[in-house]
């Protein structure tokens, strides 16, 4: 999972749903400290990750918000990169509904910027290992996973609706995606 960060992260970066911030803390910011905005529904991971990244010398802003709504004005615009990893499978609905998140996020990217993310699709997929099957069942019952209607075609449609260029790559049970050249900016 560090590879997409190493490959895509830019100087001005928006991270949606940062969790503990492990990926950002281990990403390679080869141009030195970055300007990072963290956005999440929940202020607890924002505060934890912000503290971690500030210790590493980055300038960090925290914004409470949902990707199902337009990005709050407090986050500003002009992001070189946006990371949204292991967030979409937590959000209720299928990609026809929750794909609106890409629309909202694309509006704060630069024309040359990249959105990169990962998710676990539920429809038409069975986790490859017994442990994966156990975790998926347990997380779904607990309400942490909402991916039973998430399929690859709807994800691809959601990306192509918003971006002129996209990639989709399966790695084990995880689907990695990128979107570039937001349509409303070109
Ligand atoms: C499974 S964690 C992913 C953590 C981290 N990105 C990682 O890969 O380790 C999902 C995160 O997405 C956040 N989240 C869930 N729904 C969201 C929404 N609608 N808008 C913004 N963040 C959301 C949760 O609060 C949580 O911090």
């Amino acid at each position: 999972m560090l590879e997409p960060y190493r490959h895509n992260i830019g100087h001005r970066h928006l991270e949606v749903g940062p969790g503990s911030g492990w990926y950002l803390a281990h990403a390679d910011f080869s141009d030195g400290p970055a300007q990072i905005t963290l956005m999440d529904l929940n202020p607890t991971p924002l505060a934890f990750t912000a503290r971690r990244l500030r210790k590493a010398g980055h300038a960090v802003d925290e914004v409470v918000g949902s990707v199902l709504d337009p990005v709050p004005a407090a986050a500003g615009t002009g992001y070189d990169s946006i990371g949204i990893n292991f967030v979409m499978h937590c959000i209720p609905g299928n990609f026809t509904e929750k794909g609106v998140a890409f629309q909202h996020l694309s509006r704060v990217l630069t024309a040359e910027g990249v959105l990169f993310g990962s998710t676990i699709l539920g429809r038409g997929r069975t986790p490859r290992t017994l442990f994966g099957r156990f975790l998926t069942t347990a997380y779904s019952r607990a309400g942490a996973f909402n991916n039973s209607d998430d399929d690859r075609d709807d994800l691809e449609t959601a990306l192509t609706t918003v971006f002129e260029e996209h990639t989709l790559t399966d790695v084990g049970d995880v689907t990695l995606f990128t979107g570039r050249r937001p349509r409303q900016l070109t």
Side-chain angles (χ1 to χ4, degrees):
M1 278 305 300
L2 283 176
E3 196 52 40
Y5 280 84
R6 291 202 182 106
H7 193 67
N8 293 307
I9 206 151
H11 181 67
R12 180 160 158 71
H13 177 74
L14 172 64
E15 184 77 4
V16 178
S20 69
W22 192 91
Y23 297 129
L24 285 173
H26 292 84
D28 174 18
F29 289 91
S30 45
D31 294 338
Q35 288 174 13
I36 303 172
T37 301
L38 307 172
M39 182 174 124
D40 203 295
L41 280 177
N42 181 346
T44 305
L46 291 180
F48 183 90
T49 300
R51 207 163 41 242
R52 188 172 196 177
L53 296 176
R54 283 182 190 124
K55 273 190 198 156
H58 301 296
V60 184
D61 289 319
E62 300 164 52
V63 176
V64 174
S66 169
V67 281
L68 298 179
D69 299 323
V71 177
T77 59
Y79 287 95
D80 303 311
S81 55
I82 299 177
I84 178 163
N85 286 286
F86 298 121
V87 175
M88 295 307 285
H89 59 235
C90 301
I91 298 178
N94 58 31
F95 272 104
T96 308
E97 296 150 353
K98 60 192 173 187
V100 71
F102 301 141
Q103 190 78 53
H104 294 315
L105 294 173
S106 73
R107 293 187 191 284
V108 300
L109 262 185
T110 63
E112 299 76 30
V114 58
L115 175 143
F116 65 98
S118 52
T119 194
I120 298 173
L121 298 171
R123 179 173 285 174
R125 300 286 180 97
T126 305
R128 288 164 191 236
T129 63
L130 191 59
F131 185 57
R133 288 197 282 280
F134 166 75
L135 274 186
T136 299
T137 304
Y139 286 162
S140 299
R141 282 194 185 145
F145 269 27
N146 283 288
N147 65 349
S148 58
D149 289 331
D150 290 2
D151 75 16
R152 205 175 200 279
D153 287 349
D154 289 346
L155 170 58
E156 187 151 41
T157 300
L159 289 168
T160 55
T161 301
V162 175
F163 296 104
E164 286 188 11
E165 294 173 17
H166 75 280
T167 61
L168 272 180
T169 312
D170 294 316
V171 180
D173 291 328
V174 174
T175 300
L176 302 171
F177 53 86
T178 64
R180 292 175 190 273
R181 297 176 59 80
R183 290 188 187 280
Q184 88 281 353
L185 295 178
T186 55

